[in-house]
Amino acid sequence: MPQSLKSIRELADDWLALDQNENTRKQITDLLAAGNVAELDRRLRTRIQFGTAGLRAKLEAGFSRMNELTVLQASQGLSVYVAGAVPDALKRGIVIGYDHRHESAEFARLTACAFLHKGFVVHFLDKLVHTPLVPFAVDRLHAACGVMVTASHNPASANGYKVYWSNGCQIVKPRDKGIAAAIDDNLEPWIWDKTLVDKSPLVNRPLTEIADQYYAQLAVLAGDTKINSMMRFMYTPMHGVGGPYAERAAALLGAVPDKNMFVVPEQAEPDPDFPTVEFPNPEEKGALKLAMASSDKIDISLVVANDPDADRFSAAVKGADGKWMQLTGNELGILFAYFLFSTMDTTKFELSKLAMLNSTASSQILRSFAETEGFYYEETLTGFKWLGNRAIELEAQGYNVVFAFEEAIGYMFPGIHDKDGIGAMMMFLKLLRWIEDTVSGTKMTRAQGIIIVLEQIYKKYGYFENKNSYYVALDPRVTDSVFNYIRTKSDGAAAAEPSGNNEYRYPSRVGTRQVTYWRDLTLGYDSSTPDHVPVLPVSKSSEMITFALDSAVRVTIRGSGTEPKLKVYIEAKSTVSREASRQIADEVWDDLEREWFRPGETGLLRP
């Protein structure tokens, strides 16, 4: 019988027949005893969905949650799928890593258990690792796949299960569907033994070797650059696993702990409860407040930060006026791109084969940069699963992909096909040394130097200003209704579906601004292509619209795949100043909120 038609008692019995964890079994039996039908229904009625982001959910008992049973089921299905899809998969094996979150180590051991039972070699990274080390290890060990147990920057109550394919990239469609089907076919636990990883001859523990190779790759990026011996900076791993990795990376540039590199003491050690931050994400407003305060106490003017699994990077600098300026993801992205291009010997390769990428939600200044200088640029869908896989495809075509980024503080450098917050931190310190040597001089503050370089970039390639934020949508139906409202808000524009279905029509204007371009990657429509079919992949299961206004504003609206959010990215371009661009972006935000999003009326909540 389908799960949707079963009674609560039947669903609970199904759970209790499979679960072998005493804690999660008790959660369900306690809810039964209390007659809490609503909560049981929330936890048991639907299954946690496996997608291109793997799994991510709250840590609780139930088919819709992250727990030992759902992790074991996912691992069984994944092992079956990989064994059938990757040549020599069992011999090549799986890389498994985990971070410090609640249950991460146990989930990693159960993942190993399923793959060992299937006959796979298991490359078990047996200490806390940062996420980028798993795809790096998959690539270096030529493994069939990899799993990293982490929920990245999500709240303490969550955990997740991120899957990497044999090319060292996160999975993309349609592999997620194939894996999900294999999971559904293998729900009965084969074996439940978290100690199997300690006694199986199929297990090896290559962490030391892989870490050495990883830092050797970072050393290539560092080159012979050394930081100014007087530089001091404050680092925060945000209660995560990044500390020892960041220290070793900074040492490649000559940074010495407690002389150049200082660590926020309250956030230095891994803590799965994240006690000093509401959201353990350095991108969130206020997340770096403690790091800034710690810097103020000892007269430090630079903060660098990773998220808890250290695949994202952020930075803030203090100006001569004593005020802190946190750089946005797009500002960091274009600074990295400009720095890399400016320090290359472009006489040694064909410029048209140099490539940089970013996601469709990120700043278009990289496109303008590429068009002006003559190197290759491409945008992808949001997420490094798309950026990494596309980079591999371009490299196979002879391109030298030196950089990729997205505005959500994710940066990819050569040697790994995923975002890497540790590598980004090291490259940012290298960037600052370059600014000291070429721009700012000894009498300027670090903030002034960065502002000068940004102004050089904007003056040459255009003043791009972003206003990016989100609305909270606790019920997915709210997000669906908002997108449906946008598509059916007909005001005389052309139909937005190439099949000829006239039910959906895109708006012709927002406020006083004319819509000049429209792309709907949910329905599969692009107004700029001859057949109106998008170049980027279409997915009916995820909501995403991009449009332009008066050819000077670009807006992307999408539903988050991992959080209860409707995300909005607005970018305005001006030839005059950042202030002019910022004013345009603010006006468009206000128009969209009034005309389309209508918080309160629609159920969307302001953050």
Side-chain angles (χ1 to χ4, degrees):
M1 180 186 299
Q3 203 159 321
S4 60
L5 300 178
K6 291 185 178 181
S7 68
I8 290 298
R9 182 73 244 189
E10 288 172 320
L11 292 171
D13 287 343
D14 287 348
W15 175 269
L16 294 172
L18 298 175
D19 188 18
Q20 297 180 29
N21 180 283
E22 291 184 7
N23 177 52
T24 45
R25 286 180 62 86
K26 186 175 186 301
Q27 289 180 38
I28 297 302
T29 56
D30 285 351
L31 289 169
L32 279 170
N36 194 338
V37 174
E39 181 64 17
L40 285 165
D41 193 74
R42 278 190 290 269
R43 296 197 193 187
L44 299 171
R45 179 65 61 190
T46 58
R47 289 195 178 278
I48 186 172
Q49 293 297 303
F50 187 94
T52 56
L55 304 174
R56 193 170 295 178
K58 193 173 182 179
L59 285 162
E60 286 179 327
F63 295 119
S64 66
R65 305 295 199 251
M66 283 290 295
N67 49 66
E68 289 192 0
L69 176 59
T70 55
V71 166
L72 185 58
Q73 291 172 328
S75 300
Q76 292 179 170
L78 178 62
S79 70
V80 170
Y81 183 83
V82 172
V86 178
D88 299 320
L90 275 63
K91 182 179 178 181
R92 292 170 65 178
I94 179 177
V95 174
I96 300 174
Y98 60 93
D99 68 5
H100 66 306
R101 282 181 177 265
H102 294 295
E103 307 294 330
S104 281
E106 288 78 8
F107 291 168
R109 285 174 163 269
L110 276 176
T111 302
C113 170
F115 275 82
L116 289 168
H117 184 78
K118 185 69 177 173
F120 275 78
V121 169
V122 169
H123 308 288
F124 196 67
L125 306 183
D126 54 357
K127 295 180 181 178
L128 302 183
V129 299
H130 70 314
T131 290
L133 209 60
V134 169
F136 182 84
V138 170
D139 194 44
R140 290 305 176 100
L141 295 170
H142 306 290
C145 68
V147 167
M148 176 65 188
V149 182
T150 180
S152 188
H153 56 280
N154 282 48
S157 59
N159 210 334
Y161 184 100
K162 184 177 288 189
V163 177
Y164 293 89
W165 199 242
S166 57
N167 62 356
C169 286
Q170 296 175 56
I171 59 168
V172 293
K173 298 177 183 300
R175 297 205 184 279
D176 59 328
K177 300 298 183 186
I179 295 169
I183 292 171
D184 288 342
D185 291 339
N186 292 276
L187 297 176
E188 185 83 27
W190 304 332
I191 185 173
W192 198 305
D193 184 359
K194 287 182 281 187
T195 69
L196 188 59
V197 73
D198 299 317
K199 53 196 178 188
S200 172
L202 293 173
V203 176
N204 67 69
R205 289 173 162 78
L207 178 55
T208 299
E209 169 195 347
I210 290 300
D212 287 345
Q213 292 180 27
Y214 170 75
Y215 288 107
Q217 175 61 33
L218 289 189
V220 172
L221 295 177
D224 58 2
T225 299
K226 299 298 178 185
I227 64 168
N228 186 321
S229 62
M230 302 301 291
M231 174 189 275
R232 298 193 304 157
F233 59 94
M234 185 68 66
Y235 169 74
T236 175
M238 203 69 66
H239 297 295
V241 299
Y245 296 96
E247 183 177 313
R248 188 170 171 184
L252 295 172
L253 298 175
V256 177
D258 298 326
K259 177 186 176 184
N260 309 108
M261 180 178 183
F262 297 79
V263 182
V264 179
E266 299 90 340
Q267 298 176 340
E269 296 301 321
D271 188 332
D273 293 317
F274 309 109
T276 68
V277 287
E278 186 173 354
F279 294 102
N281 181 0
E283 189 182 20
E284 291 283 345
K285 185 176 181 180
L288 297 184
K289 185 177 180 180
L290 184 57
M292 293 172 180
S294 298
S295 299
D296 289 336
K297 290 178 182 178
I298 54 176
D299 195 28
I300 286 178
S301 61
L302 170 64
V303 165
V304 292
N306 291 129
D307 65 341
D309 69 325
D311 64 350
R312 287 175 168 84
F313 169 77
S314 187
V317 289
K318 185 164 59 174
D321 59 0
K323 294 182 180 179
W324 284 95
M325 176 181 75
Q326 183 170 351
L327 296 167
T328 69
N330 282 320
E331 286 172 337
L332 284 167
I334 196 60
L335 281 168
F336 280 133
Y338 187 70
F339 164 60
L340 289 168
F341 186 81
S342 299
T343 55
M344 285 177 186
D345 184 355
T346 55
T347 64
K348 293 184 176 180
F349 55 85
E350 185 180 345
L351 188 58
S352 62
K353 287 296 186 180
L354 174 71
M356 299 193 197
L357 317 175
N358 68 358
S359 67
T360 188
S362 303
S363 178
Q364 290 294 289
I365 193 170
L366 186 60
R367 181 192 296 273
S368 178
F369 182 19
E371 290 173 349
T372 301
E373 301 297 347
F375 63 87
Y376 183 77
Y377 163 82
E378 194 170 312
E379 72 172 357
T380 72
L381 292 181
T382 302
F384 272 83
K385 55 183 173 286
W386 299 107
L387 288 166
N389 278 285
R390 185 56 183 152
I392 289 174
E393 293 172 355
L394 288 171
E395 287 164 357
Q397 298 170 27
Y399 285 92
N400 179 19
V401 182
V402 297
F403 182 58
F405 84 92
E406 64 178 14
E407 54 76 39
I409 59 173
Y411 309 97
M412 184 180 85
F413 298 93
I416 185 170
H417 292 103
D418 201 11
K419 58 184 178 291
D420 181 3
I422 299 299
M425 183 211 69
M426 188 196 73
M427 292 299 288
F428 184 71
L429 296 176
K430 184 177 178 179
L431 160 69
L432 291 178
R433 183 62 205 241
W434 174 73
I435 291 176
E436 288 176 351
D437 290 343
T438 61
V439 180
S440 62
T442 57
K443 294 184 179 180
M444 291 185 180
T445 67
R446 194 166 289 115
Q448 288 171 322
I450 289 173
I451 290 170
I452 288 171
V453 173
L454 284 172
E455 180 63 24
Q456 290 174 350
I457 293 169
Y458 295 135
K459 188 174 182 179
K460 189 171 185 180
Y461 308 117
Y463 292 91
F464 290 77
E465 192 65 25
N466 300 85
K467 187 176 180 67
N468 301 335
S469 190
Y470 60 87
Y471 294 95
V472 176
L474 298 177
D475 186 339
R477 291 173 295 185
V478 171
T479 299
D480 294 341
S481 68
V482 170
F483 276 93
N484 185 63
Y485 177 82
I486 293 169
R487 294 187 180 104
T488 57
K489 185 177 166 51
S490 174
D491 51 10
E497 190 170 11
S499 65
N501 183 340
N502 292 325
E503 177 184 358
Y504 297 109
R505 303 176 69 86
Y506 66 79
S508 64
R509 62 180 57 250
V510 174
T512 61
R513 293 178 172 85
Q514 189 75 26
V515 174
T516 56
Y517 165 74
W518 188 272
R519 183 180 66 199
D520 189 329
L521 292 179
T522 307
L523 299 183
Y525 176 82
D526 190 322
S527 66
S528 69
T529 60
D531 57 2
H532 290 174
V533 175
V535 175
L536 293 180
V538 172
S539 174
K540 294 188 180 297
S541 63
S542 57
E543 296 281 10
M544 188 169 185
I545 289 171
T546 298
F547 60 95
L549 298 172
D550 292 346
S551 301
V553 183
R554 177 182 164 109
V555 182
T556 293
I557 306 167
R558 71 180 183 91
S560 172
T562 58
E563 301 169 287
K565 294 178 179 179
L566 186 152
K567 296 189 173 184
V568 184
Y569 309 85
I570 300 173
E571 182 168 63
K573 179 184 178 182
S574 167
T575 59
V576 178
S577 67
R578 294 188 72 181
E579 289 71 23
S581 298
R582 189 176 297 117
Q583 181 178 347
I584 295 170
D586 286 341
E587 290 172 358
V588 171
W589 178 277
D590 292 341
D591 289 340
L592 288 172
E593 181 167 88
R594 181 180 62 256
E595 297 177 12
W596 290 10
F597 302 132
R598 300 162 294 136
E601 179 182 345
T602 59
L604 292 176
L605 305 174
R606 295 185 181 91

